[in-house]
Amino acid sequence: MTAPTTATDVNQPSLQPGAPTGRRMSLPVLMLVIAGALALTSLVRLITGADGITNVSQMSTALQLAVPIGLAGLGGLWAERAGVVNIGLEGMMILGTWFGAWAGFQWGPWTGVLVGIIGGAIGGLLHAIVTITFNVNHIVSGVALNILALGATRYLAPLAFEGHQGGSAKQSPPVDSLGHFTVPGLSDGLETLNDKGWFLVSDIAGLLGGLVTNVSWLTLIAVALVPATWWILWRTAFGLRLRSCGENPVAAESLGVNVYKYKYLAVIISGGLAGLGGVFLSIVANPFYLEGQTSGRGYIGLAAMIFGNWMPGGLAIGAGLFGYTDSLNLRGGSANVHALLLLGALLLVVGAIWLAVRKKYVKAAITFVVGALVFAWYAGTNEVPNQVVSATPYVVTLVVLALSAQRLRMPKADGMQYRKGQGK
């Protein structure tokens, strides 16, 4: 029996992948939520005088920090939509950083990009062999891959980089830049508008200015991969077959889908995307490989994917959120994080009101109390400790996942072991 060629050809409910069990937020509602969050942020900026939370430089830095997280999250999305849990994203990113820098300083940055993707894909292939062919637990395989990648790059770095100018046992020689672009006229206009300090308008200008000012070409490619992933997985026959493997591989096999092939392809692509995220770190964010430079971004990318409910758009929002909080470490961290305490308090109060409207009074009361405590922290201090600033991205990761846990819907067969013909 041949596989279905379009999404409408599959009539079985078990093969309708990705449909959440609850009500999905419509695009107009989502845009209203984003606009409301921007309005609250603008209000906080005016009250606190912390102009740095929405200026062009802050947003540009946030975008740069969000890209590797988003690419790792996209990698996780590809694998898990095919039913393979990919905890090994961190290891695949590590391989991408090393291979990208190794090839980049010798043969140029674009060669480094290609080789870094291949390095991550090799990690994906190893994970696929272990989990798909040998049916090893996906979590165990991913953790082992992370350890293997770290050990392998530590062993290879002295052999490859020592003896070259600027290289050492823990650092590669510098890699040439891929180049940046700025949209003439538009960038300057948005920056001028951002400097006016107007309510909401200047904040939107700062957000948009960060997207068109001093942007790497690799950033443009990474951003384009988000809608490309959505189109491939949700609008093509290939994507339907791949997602069916993550929902009900037995039913997919009964319709003629080669489940092993699609799982292998998904995990290899997953590794390549994570490797591209690593390349971004070692060629764009820093023009060299440095041991430990991933700093857990593979795990944060996995959190962004879960926050986004295994959807590319939600993943992009999650990556942007985590990238923004991470950028606070680099630009006026203490003052900006202190201002965001007020924003957090306001958001919690709004959340409490929403819960009360829905007659969830106990949750509303708890949320309101937490919001009051956060406001008391803001009102009783002038700054926050540097340790809090450094921990902010990870705290936000935990809080966001905790708050979004009830609406999540993972692929039904995600992480399950599968043997060809097991449904017969």
Side-chain angles (χ1 to χ4, degrees):
M1 183 179 294
T2 59
T5 56
T6 64
T8 55
D9 291 333
V10 181
N11 297 317
Q12 299 182 20
S14 60
L15 279 184
Q16 296 296 332
T21 55
R23 295 176 62 186
R24 295 181 61 182
M25 185 179 293
S26 64
L27 182 59
V29 173
L30 177 62
M31 296 303 293
L32 284 175
V33 170
I34 294 174
L38 281 173
L40 280 178
T41 304
S42 183
L43 180 63
V44 167
R45 177 182 60 79
L46 292 175
I47 293 173
T48 62
D51 294 333
I53 62 176
T54 58
N55 65 23
V56 172
S57 298
Q58 182 76 53
M59 295 304 176
S60 180
T61 302
L63 176 63
Q64 180 169 294
L65 293 171
V67 166
I69 295 173
L71 287 171
L74 275 180
L77 186 147
W78 273 85
E80 299 208 10
R81 278 295 176 181
V84 179
V85 175
N86 194 355
I87 298 293
L89 291 169
E90 179 76 6
M92 297 169 194
M93 286 189 78
I94 292 173
L95 292 174
T97 61
W98 191 90
F99 278 99
W102 170 72
F105 88 88
Q106 298 183 89
W107 303 300
W110 287 108
T111 303
V113 171
L114 178 61
V115 174
I117 293 173
I118 294 173
I122 290 173
L125 177 61
L126 289 175
H127 187 52
I129 292 172
V130 172
T131 57
I132 300 169
T133 300
F134 295 102
N135 263 338
V136 173
N137 181 276
H138 298 187
I139 306 298
V140 172
S141 173
V143 172
L145 181 61
N146 291 338
I147 298 172
L148 176 63
L150 182 61
T153 52
R154 281 183 176 176
Y155 173 77
L156 292 172
L159 300 178
F161 302 142
E162 284 186 339
H164 295 276
Q165 185 176 2
S168 68
K170 295 186 177 182
Q171 179 178 315
S172 73
V175 181
D176 293 337
S177 173
L178 289 169
H180 296 77
F181 74 93
T182 297
V183 179
L186 180 60
S187 175
D188 293 335
L190 289 171
E191 188 167 0
T192 300
L193 193 57
N194 179 241
D195 292 338
K196 297 290 186 182
W198 294 336
F199 174 74
L200 192 58
V201 175
S202 292
D203 302 283
I204 295 175
L207 175 62
L208 297 177
L211 302 177
V212 297
T213 303
N214 201 30
V215 179
S216 168
W217 292 107
L218 195 56
T219 300
L220 190 63
I221 294 172
V223 171
L225 284 172
V226 175
T229 292
W230 173 84
W231 185 80
I232 292 171
L233 292 183
W234 274 269
R235 287 295 182 269
T236 67
F238 170 83
L240 174 68
R241 296 186 185 105
L242 187 147
R243 289 184 295 121
S244 70
C245 297
E247 295 292 332
N248 193 331
V250 174
E253 182 186 353
S254 71
L255 292 173
V257 176
N258 188 333
V259 176
Y260 278 6
K261 181 183 79 171
Y262 281 93
K263 283 180 177 286
Y264 261 92
L265 285 173
V267 180
I268 292 171
I269 292 171
S270 172
L273 288 169
L276 183 59
V279 168
F280 189 92
L281 291 173
S282 62
I283 294 182
V284 177
N286 296 296
F288 49 80
Y289 161 83
L290 185 65
E291 185 178 302
Q293 70 189 138
T294 56
S295 300
R297 286 181 175 85
Y299 299 112
I300 298 179
L302 195 64
M305 178 204 69
I306 296 171
F307 165 79
N309 208 9
W310 288 265
M311 296 291 289
L315 182 157
I317 294 174
L321 175 63
F322 300 141
Y324 176 76
T325 55
D326 200 12
S327 70
L328 298 176
N329 289 323
L330 302 179
R331 296 185 175 274
S334 180
N336 290 339
V337 171
H338 184 259
L340 290 182
L341 288 177
L342 178 58
L343 176 61
L346 291 174
L347 289 173
L348 286 168
V349 170
V350 171
I353 295 172
W354 172 248
L355 289 170
V357 169
R358 300 181 67 185
K359 298 182 179 180
K360 297 180 179 180
Y361 300 116
V362 175
K363 292 182 179 179
I366 294 173
T367 303
F368 182 81
V369 169
V370 174
L373 291 174
V374 173
F375 178 78
W377 184 8
Y378 164 78
T381 59
N382 293 321
E383 60 181 17
V384 295
N386 290 330
Q387 293 86 345
V388 174
V389 178
S390 301
T392 297
Y394 307 101
V395 173
V396 169
T397 301
L398 294 174
V399 171
V400 166
L401 288 179
L403 294 176
S404 61
Q406 293 183 349
R407 68 173 182 83
L408 299 179
R409 192 277 193 195
M410 66 190 296
K412 291 182 180 178
D414 195 15
M416 294 184 182
Q417 294 181 340
Y418 166 78
R419 285 288 187 188
K420 186 176 181 179
Q422 69 182 36
K424 296 179 180 179

